[in-house]
Amino acid sequence: MRDLSRVRAAILPETRMIWLETPTNPMLKIFDIAAIAEIARKAGTRLYVDNTFATPILQRPLELGADVVIHSTTKYLNGHSDVVEARSSRPTPPSPSGSPSFRTRWARWPSPFDCYLVLRGLKTLGVRVRQQCATAAVIAERLSRHARVKRVMYPGLASHRSARSPRAR
Amino acid sequence: MKAPGAMISFEIDGGLAAAVSFMQKLEIFACAESSAASSRSPITPRS
């Protein structure tokens, strides 16, 4: 995904969706959402971005041109390890004619209590993410100097490939 | 991204055996069945 020419080459006439996870799990590679969104737009396909690891605090794919953003609310958004849930968002609501059928057949509706738990977590999301970023930076730096650690993947380290790619940030 | 985030991956010298030994010695962190948990949850490449 870093090589945009390979992204363009991978799009086939029948391609309907580009699925992008950034940062990736577990290698924490970061990709240029805006550039890939532009490729998707020109190809007439849609870009879906899994934004779970970044959270909306650090990255807003819809503002960068993505068509749909996915979050596993189980993780940062809830933040208390007591919900298993995911959400998708897009700039415009689904069409009334097509959406109910899809939702009825495929989607899982969260319970009101699960929604309450996630809303509770969202109230502290900003504070948690900022502190977790600060803590992770210290841990990553210490790990990178440890004799028994061969390699550390953390975008905040100068040794991380994504740290040297300004557009990816 | 506005900041590097809070996820870290690292590779321990000594391969899988060393990684398993490391995880078994953790005291504060609890192993998770997957990366679904949001607490301090180390996962192995086999998870």
Side-chain angles (χ1 to χ4, degrees):
Chain A
M1 285 292 204
R2 284 197 180 108
D3 185 346
L4 297 178
S5 64
R6 295 183 66 182
V7 176
R8 292 187 193 93
I11 297 175
L12 303 174
E14 60 268 32
T15 300
R16 295 290 176 267
M17 172 199 296
I18 297 174
W19 183 277
L20 181 66
E21 180 190 40
T22 178
T24 62
N25 180 11
M27 303 306 286
L28 305 176
K29 296 175 182 174
I30 296 177
F31 303 114
D32 190 334
I33 296 174
I36 297 172
E38 179 67 11
I39 291 172
R41 189 186 63 78
K42 288 181 177 176
T45 185
R46 292 187 172 192
L47 175 63
Y48 286 62
V49 177
D50 184 336
N51 199 46
T52 298
F53 275 9
T55 80
I57 301 297
L58 302 181
Q59 178 170 269
R60 295 175 175 262
L62 295 181
E63 295 176 1
L64 297 171
D67 295 288
V68 178
V69 61
I70 313 292
H71 284 101
S72 168
T73 50
T74 302
K75 300 172 180 127
Y76 285 112
L77 270 58
N78 173 54
H80 293 263
S81 297
D82 52 11
V83 167
V84 177
E85 187 187 275
R87 294 294 174 96
S88 64
S89 306
R90 56 190 196 180
T92 54
S95 66
S97 59
S99 166
S101 174
F102 174 81
R103 288 189 302 210
T104 301
R105 290 178 183 171
W106 304 108
R108 169 184 171 270
W109 291 88
S111 72
F113 186 63
D114 282 348
C115 294
Y116 159 76
L117 292 174
V118 174
L119 285 171
R120 169 210 53 184
L122 288 175
K123 292 174 182 173
T124 59
L125 179 64
V127 174
R128 285 187 286 110
V129 169
R130 280 189 284 275
Q131 182 57 55
Q132 287 162 348
C133 287
T135 304
V138 172
I139 294 173
E141 199 278 328
R142 290 184 182 179
L143 284 172
S144 69
R145 288 188 280 113
H146 197 284
R148 297 289 304 276
V149 174
K150 287 176 66 177
R151 183 168 61 136
V152 180
M153 279 72 73
Y154 180 65
L157 292 176
S159 59
H160 195 276
R161 187 174 175 186
S162 295
R164 298 191 295 272
S165 175
R167 286 207 70 189
R169 310 184 81 175
Chain B
M1 284 177 66
K2 295 178 182 175
M7 302 299 297
I8 303 171
S9 296
F10 59 97
E11 188 176 346
I12 293 179
D13 193 18
L16 181 61
V20 170
S21 174
F22 168 81
M23 296 184 74
Q24 289 175 338
K25 292 174 182 174
L26 292 174
E27 296 180 1
I28 297 175
F29 291 70
C31 291
E33 293 82 3
S34 73
S35 59
S38 61
S39 56
R40 302 171 297 253
S41 305
I43 56 171
T44 68
R46 292 183 299 178
S47 299

